[in-house]
Amino acid sequence: MSVAENIKLIENEITGKGVTLVAVSKTKPVDALMQAYNAGFKRFGENYVQELADKYEQMPKDIEWHFIGHLQSNKVKYIAPFVSLIHSVDSFKLLQEINKQAAKYNRVINCLLQIYIAEEDTKSGMTEAECSEILDSEALKTLLNVNITGLMGMSTFTDDEQQVRKEFRKLKSFQASLLSAHPYLQTISMGMSGDYPIAIEEGSTMIRVGSRIFGNRIYPA
């Protein structure tokens, strides 16, 4: 099956469910992304700043680029001119830097706050308490060049579907608890190639799918 056919299959699967597909293209060559682009798909997610910046330079400029990996403050400047959505904001300090860099280009950058929901140390994110503190802070109101649109979470890497479901449900429940005070938190980015059907059942509005579209990742030796 081609890249375009894989995307079509997933899009047919999620039609009518209020879910947006992000094709995770990290480590994939530009020609693989162009197969998707030429079939009409223009929403890609990348994990590495340099790779994202390189692909942005090489590809058409009507693409919606999502940054989904761990983002260091000193790297924000490289993606600030063009990134559409940053999924992985895990601190107020990072939010401040995104705001600072976005202001240089007279842009407002959409962001998701990444919440730690997994039961493993390799995943990052803020606690629910830290998230609430940011959302309720006066300092947030001074950041005019960022727009928080929702939450993101990554489940534990496990075959235990019940655990994954529990973690997604926890994030959905937290989002629901915030909506009355913060009605703009509409996006929940959760679910990847191995678990997006569960994520959708538990309330995800955005899934990040890589290997189901492009095949297994190729890492340099």
Side-chain angles (χ1 to χ4, degrees):
M1 294 256 287
S2 70
V3 166
E5 287 170 326
N6 290 337
I7 287 174
K8 196 73 191 157
L9 266 181
I10 297 169
E11 288 195 314
N12 288 341
E13 212 179 313
I14 66 177
T15 296
K17 295 181 178 176
V19 178
T20 300
L21 171 64
V22 179
V24 178
S25 47
K26 69 175 179 181
T27 78
K28 294 300 174 183
V30 165
D31 65 340
L33 280 71
M34 285 305 299
Q35 289 175 44
Y37 180 87
N38 290 331
F41 191 85
K42 303 179 181 181
R43 191 183 309 108
F44 299 102
E46 290 283 337
N47 285 57
Y48 307 113
V49 167
Q50 189 59 56
E51 185 178 356
L52 172 51
D54 289 347
K55 285 175 177 171
Y56 170 77
E57 290 300 330
Q58 295 175 61
M59 292 183 66
K61 296 300 176 271
D62 59 342
I63 288 172
E64 183 182 315
W65 291 106
H66 291 225
F67 188 81
I68 63 174
H70 179 66
L71 182 57
Q72 296 170 285
S73 293
N74 63 346
K75 299 281 182 69
V76 174
K77 60 190 174 192
Y78 299 112
I79 61 173
F82 64 88
V83 71
S84 291
L85 179 63
I86 298 174
H87 290 232
S88 46
V89 178
D90 58 5
S91 70
F92 187 70
K93 177 173 169 273
L94 179 57
L95 209 53
Q96 288 175 305
E97 184 61 24
I98 295 167
N99 182 75
K100 176 183 163 186
Q101 297 300 331
K104 292 180 181 177
Y105 300 96
N106 198 27
R107 298 190 70 218
V108 176
I109 295 177
N110 289 331
C111 297
L112 304 178
L113 300 182
Q114 183 175 355
I115 310 302
Y116 183 78
I117 59 171
E119 293 182 13
E120 59 180 80
D121 294 337
T122 57
K123 302 286 193 292
S124 55
M126 61 181 78
T127 65
E128 291 183 2
E130 288 166 337
C131 175
S132 295
E133 186 179 343
I134 288 172
L135 293 172
D136 294 333
S137 70
E138 288 300 312
L140 181 61
K141 296 173 185 172
T142 68
L143 305 186
L144 303 180
N145 293 84
V146 292
N147 180 36
I148 298 173
T149 62
L151 308 176
M152 185 269 253
M154 296 176 71
S155 67
T156 302
F157 185 68
T158 174
D159 291 330
D160 184 347
E161 287 191 4
Q162 288 310 309
Q163 182 174 345
V164 171
R165 188 176 294 280
K166 180 183 76 174
E167 290 167 0
F168 287 151
R169 189 169 291 172
K170 184 182 179 197
L171 184 59
K172 173 60 182 173
S173 174
F174 179 53
Q175 181 244 10
S177 75
L178 295 170
L179 279 176
S180 59
H182 309 284
Y184 50 86
L185 297 174
Q186 294 297 316
T187 299
I188 304 187
S189 171
M190 60 184 190
M192 300 189 291
S193 286
D195 57 20
Y196 74 81
I198 298 173
I200 292 170
E201 287 173 9
E202 295 304 331
S204 175
T205 67
M206 187 173 282
I207 56 174
R208 312 178 301 272
V209 181
S211 56
R212 284 283 293 271
I213 292 172
F214 296 103
N216 292 330
R217 292 189 191 107
I218 306 155
Y219 289 102

